[in-house]
Short mmCIF file of all heavy atoms in Angstrom, two decimals:
data_model
loop_
_atom_site.label_atom_id
_atom_site.label_comp_id
_atom_site.label_asym_id
_atom_site.label_seq_id
_atom_site.Cartn_x
_atom_site.Cartn_y
_atom_site.Cartn_z
N LYS A 1 -8.24 -7.85 -0.13
CA LYS A 1 -8.30 -9.11 0.61
C LYS A 1 -7.21 -9.21 1.67
O LYS A 1 -7.27 -10.08 2.54
CB LYS A 1 -8.19 -10.29 -0.36
CG LYS A 1 -9.39 -10.44 -1.28
CD LYS A 1 -9.19 -11.59 -2.26
CE LYS A 1 -10.35 -11.71 -3.24
NZ LYS A 1 -10.11 -12.78 -4.24
N THR A 2 -6.21 -8.35 1.61
CA THR A 2 -5.15 -8.38 2.61
C THR A 2 -5.58 -7.71 3.92
O THR A 2 -4.87 -7.81 4.93
CB THR A 2 -3.88 -7.66 2.10
OG1 THR A 2 -4.15 -6.26 1.94
CG2 THR A 2 -3.41 -8.26 0.78
N ASN A 3 -6.72 -7.00 3.87
CA ASN A 3 -7.23 -6.26 5.04
C ASN A 3 -6.27 -5.17 5.50
O ASN A 3 -6.28 -4.77 6.67
CB ASN A 3 -7.55 -7.22 6.20
CG ASN A 3 -8.67 -8.17 5.85
OD1 ASN A 3 -9.68 -7.77 5.28
ND2 ASN A 3 -8.48 -9.44 6.16
N MET A 4 -5.44 -4.72 4.58
CA MET A 4 -4.56 -3.59 4.86
C MET A 4 -5.04 -2.37 4.07
O MET A 4 -5.69 -2.51 3.02
CB MET A 4 -3.12 -3.90 4.42
CG MET A 4 -2.40 -4.94 5.23
SD MET A 4 -0.70 -5.11 4.60
CE MET A 4 -0.01 -6.26 5.78
N THR A 5 -4.69 -1.18 4.55
CA THR A 5 -4.90 0.00 3.72
C THR A 5 -3.84 0.00 2.63
O THR A 5 -2.83 -0.73 2.71
CB THR A 5 -4.78 1.29 4.54
OG1 THR A 5 -3.41 1.44 4.98
CG2 THR A 5 -5.72 1.29 5.74
N SER A 6 -4.04 0.81 1.63
CA SER A 6 -3.06 0.90 0.55
C SER A 6 -1.68 1.30 1.07
O SER A 6 -0.66 0.72 0.68
CB SER A 6 -3.54 1.92 -0.50
OG SER A 6 -4.73 1.49 -1.09
N GLU A 7 -1.66 2.26 1.97
CA GLU A 7 -0.39 2.73 2.51
C GLU A 7 0.28 1.67 3.38
O GLU A 7 1.49 1.47 3.29
CB GLU A 7 -0.61 4.02 3.31
CG GLU A 7 0.68 4.73 3.66
CD GLU A 7 0.47 6.15 4.14
OE1 GLU A 7 -0.61 6.72 3.87
OE2 GLU A 7 1.39 6.68 4.79
N GLN A 8 -0.50 0.97 4.18
CA GLN A 8 0.05 -0.10 5.01
C GLN A 8 0.66 -1.20 4.16
O GLN A 8 1.74 -1.73 4.46
CB GLN A 8 -1.04 -0.68 5.91
CG GLN A 8 -1.48 0.23 7.04
CD GLN A 8 -2.73 -0.29 7.76
OE1 GLN A 8 -3.46 -1.13 7.22
NE2 GLN A 8 -2.98 0.21 8.96
N PHE A 9 -0.04 -1.56 3.09
CA PHE A 9 0.45 -2.62 2.20
C PHE A 9 1.77 -2.22 1.56
O PHE A 9 2.72 -3.01 1.52
CB PHE A 9 -0.59 -2.93 1.12
CG PHE A 9 -0.21 -4.05 0.21
CD1 PHE A 9 -0.46 -5.37 0.56
CD2 PHE A 9 0.41 -3.80 -1.02
CE1 PHE A 9 -0.10 -6.42 -0.29
CE2 PHE A 9 0.77 -4.83 -1.86
CZ PHE A 9 0.52 -6.14 -1.50
N CYS A 10 1.85 -0.98 1.07
CA CYS A 10 3.09 -0.53 0.42
C CYS A 10 4.25 -0.49 1.40
O CYS A 10 5.37 -0.87 1.06
CB CYS A 10 2.87 0.85 -0.22
SG CYS A 10 1.77 0.80 -1.66
N ASP A 11 3.98 -0.02 2.61
CA ASP A 11 5.03 0.01 3.63
C ASP A 11 5.51 -1.40 3.96
O ASP A 11 6.72 -1.65 4.10
CB ASP A 11 4.51 0.69 4.91
CG ASP A 11 4.38 2.19 4.77
OD1 ASP A 11 4.96 2.76 3.83
OD2 ASP A 11 3.67 2.80 5.60
N TYR A 12 4.56 -2.33 4.06
CA TYR A 12 4.91 -3.72 4.38
C TYR A 12 5.76 -4.34 3.27
O TYR A 12 6.78 -4.99 3.54
CB TYR A 12 3.63 -4.53 4.59
CG TYR A 12 3.87 -6.02 4.75
CD1 TYR A 12 4.57 -6.52 5.83
CD2 TYR A 12 3.39 -6.91 3.79
CE1 TYR A 12 4.81 -7.89 5.97
CE2 TYR A 12 3.61 -8.28 3.91
CZ TYR A 12 4.32 -8.76 5.00
OH TYR A 12 4.54 -10.11 5.13
N ILE A 13 5.35 -4.14 2.02
CA ILE A 13 6.08 -4.72 0.89
C ILE A 13 7.47 -4.11 0.76
O ILE A 13 8.44 -4.81 0.44
CB ILE A 13 5.27 -4.56 -0.42
CG1 ILE A 13 3.98 -5.39 -0.36
CG2 ILE A 13 6.09 -4.95 -1.63
CD1 ILE A 13 4.20 -6.88 -0.19
N LEU A 14 7.59 -2.82 1.04
CA LEU A 14 8.90 -2.19 0.98
C LEU A 14 9.81 -2.73 2.08
O LEU A 14 10.98 -3.07 1.84
CB LEU A 14 8.77 -0.67 1.10
CG LEU A 14 10.08 0.12 1.06
CD1 LEU A 14 10.84 -0.12 -0.23
CD2 LEU A 14 9.81 1.62 1.25
N GLU A 15 9.28 -2.83 3.28
CA GLU A 15 10.09 -3.27 4.42
C GLU A 15 10.40 -4.76 4.38
O GLU A 15 11.51 -5.19 4.73
CB GLU A 15 9.37 -2.92 5.73
CG GLU A 15 9.27 -1.42 5.97
CD GLU A 15 8.31 -1.07 7.09
OE1 GLU A 15 7.86 -2.00 7.79
OE2 GLU A 15 8.00 0.12 7.27
N ASP A 16 9.43 -5.58 3.95
CA ASP A 16 9.62 -7.03 4.00
C ASP A 16 10.21 -7.59 2.71
O ASP A 16 10.97 -8.56 2.75
CB ASP A 16 8.27 -7.71 4.27
CG ASP A 16 8.44 -9.18 4.62
OD1 ASP A 16 8.86 -9.48 5.76
OD2 ASP A 16 8.17 -10.04 3.74
N ALA A 17 9.86 -6.97 1.57
CA ALA A 17 10.28 -7.54 0.28
C ALA A 17 11.27 -6.66 -0.47
O ALA A 17 11.79 -7.08 -1.51
CB ALA A 17 9.04 -7.77 -0.59
N ASP A 18 11.51 -5.47 0.02
CA ASP A 18 12.39 -4.52 -0.68
C ASP A 18 11.89 -4.24 -2.10
O ASP A 18 12.67 -4.18 -3.06
CB ASP A 18 13.83 -5.04 -0.73
CG ASP A 18 14.46 -5.15 0.65
OD1 ASP A 18 14.08 -4.36 1.54
OD2 ASP A 18 15.33 -6.02 0.84
N VAL A 19 10.58 -4.08 -2.21
CA VAL A 19 9.95 -3.72 -3.48
C VAL A 19 9.17 -2.43 -3.26
O VAL A 19 8.35 -2.34 -2.34
CB VAL A 19 9.00 -4.83 -3.98
CG1 VAL A 19 8.26 -4.38 -5.25
CG2 VAL A 19 9.79 -6.11 -4.26
N ALA A 20 9.43 -1.43 -4.10
CA ALA A 20 8.81 -0.12 -3.95
C ALA A 20 7.63 0.04 -4.89
O ALA A 20 7.78 -0.06 -6.11
CB ALA A 20 9.83 0.98 -4.21
N ILE A 21 6.44 0.25 -4.31
CA ILE A 21 5.23 0.50 -5.08
C ILE A 21 4.49 1.66 -4.42
O ILE A 21 4.82 2.08 -3.32
CB ILE A 21 4.32 -0.76 -5.14
CG1 ILE A 21 4.00 -1.25 -3.72
CG2 ILE A 21 4.99 -1.86 -5.94
CD1 ILE A 21 3.14 -2.51 -3.69
N LEU A 22 3.49 2.19 -5.10
CA LEU A 22 2.78 3.36 -4.59
C LEU A 22 1.36 3.02 -4.16
O LEU A 22 0.65 2.28 -4.86
CB LEU A 22 2.71 4.45 -5.67
CG LEU A 22 3.91 5.37 -5.83
CD1 LEU A 22 3.62 6.40 -6.92
CD2 LEU A 22 4.26 6.09 -4.53
N PRO A 23 0.91 3.57 -3.03
CA PRO A 23 -0.48 3.36 -2.62
C PRO A 23 -1.44 4.06 -3.57
O PRO A 23 -1.14 5.15 -4.08
CB PRO A 23 -0.53 3.99 -1.21
CG PRO A 23 0.62 4.94 -1.16
CD PRO A 23 1.68 4.37 -2.05
N GLY A 24 -2.59 3.44 -3.77
CA GLY A 24 -3.59 4.04 -4.65
C GLY A 24 -4.05 5.40 -4.16
O GLY A 24 -4.47 6.26 -4.96
N THR A 25 -3.98 5.63 -2.85
CA THR A 25 -4.40 6.90 -2.29
C THR A 25 -3.46 8.05 -2.65
O THR A 25 -3.79 9.21 -2.44
CB THR A 25 -4.53 6.79 -0.76
OG1 THR A 25 -3.37 6.12 -0.23
CG2 THR A 25 -5.77 6.02 -0.37
N SER A 26 -2.29 7.74 -3.20
CA SER A 26 -1.42 8.79 -3.72
C SER A 26 -2.07 9.48 -4.92
O SER A 26 -1.67 10.59 -5.30
CB SER A 26 -0.07 8.20 -4.16
OG SER A 26 0.66 7.72 -3.06
N PHE A 27 -3.08 8.83 -5.49
CA PHE A 27 -3.73 9.34 -6.69
C PHE A 27 -5.18 9.76 -6.42
O PHE A 27 -5.93 10.03 -7.35
CB PHE A 27 -3.69 8.26 -7.78
CG PHE A 27 -2.29 7.79 -8.07
CD1 PHE A 27 -1.77 6.68 -7.42
CD2 PHE A 27 -1.48 8.48 -8.95
CE1 PHE A 27 -0.47 6.25 -7.66
CE2 PHE A 27 -0.18 8.06 -9.19
CZ PHE A 27 0.33 6.95 -8.55
N GLY A 28 -5.55 9.82 -5.14
CA GLY A 28 -6.90 10.24 -4.78
C GLY A 28 -7.55 9.26 -3.83
O GLY A 28 -7.14 8.10 -3.71
N ARG A 29 -8.58 9.73 -3.15
CA ARG A 29 -9.19 8.89 -2.11
C ARG A 29 -9.88 7.66 -2.66
O ARG A 29 -10.03 6.66 -1.95
CB ARG A 29 -10.19 9.72 -1.28
CG ARG A 29 -11.35 10.31 -2.03
CD ARG A 29 -12.31 10.99 -1.06
NE ARG A 29 -13.41 11.69 -1.71
CZ ARG A 29 -13.42 12.97 -1.98
NH1 ARG A 29 -12.38 13.71 -1.68
NH2 ARG A 29 -14.46 13.54 -2.57
N PHE A 30 -10.29 7.68 -3.93
CA PHE A 30 -10.92 6.50 -4.51
C PHE A 30 -9.90 5.43 -4.91
O PHE A 30 -10.27 4.38 -5.43
CB PHE A 30 -11.80 6.89 -5.70
CG PHE A 30 -13.01 7.70 -5.31
CD1 PHE A 30 -13.09 9.05 -5.64
CD2 PHE A 30 -14.04 7.14 -4.59
CE1 PHE A 30 -14.19 9.81 -5.27
CE2 PHE A 30 -15.14 7.89 -4.21
CZ PHE A 30 -15.22 9.24 -4.55
N GLY A 31 -8.63 5.71 -4.65
CA GLY A 31 -7.59 4.71 -4.87
C GLY A 31 -7.35 3.82 -3.68
O GLY A 31 -6.52 2.90 -3.74
N GLU A 32 -8.10 4.05 -2.58
CA GLU A 32 -7.96 3.19 -1.41
C GLU A 32 -8.33 1.75 -1.77
O GLU A 32 -9.31 1.50 -2.47
CB GLU A 32 -8.85 3.69 -0.27
CG GLU A 32 -8.70 2.90 1.02
CD GLU A 32 -7.27 2.86 1.54
OE1 GLU A 32 -6.86 3.82 2.22
OE2 GLU A 32 -6.56 1.86 1.25
#
């Protein structure tokens, strides 16, 4: 619902909130 890719969302949360999480695509393309 954020209209971001998994990687974009993780980058945004790290940069804006200082919270480190991993994109679903780190675990395969069906993690998008």
Side-chain angles (χ1 to χ4, degrees):
K1 292 177 183 177
T2 66
N3 296 316
M4 291 182 175
T5 67
S6 297
E7 192 166 341
Q8 288 170 343
F9 183 85
C10 290
D11 286 343
Y12 172 65
I13 293 300
L14 180 59
E15 293 167 10
D16 192 76
D18 295 331
V19 175
I21 56 182
L22 277 181
T25 46
S26 294
F27 305 93
R29 61 175 175 264
F30 293 109
E32 183 57 83

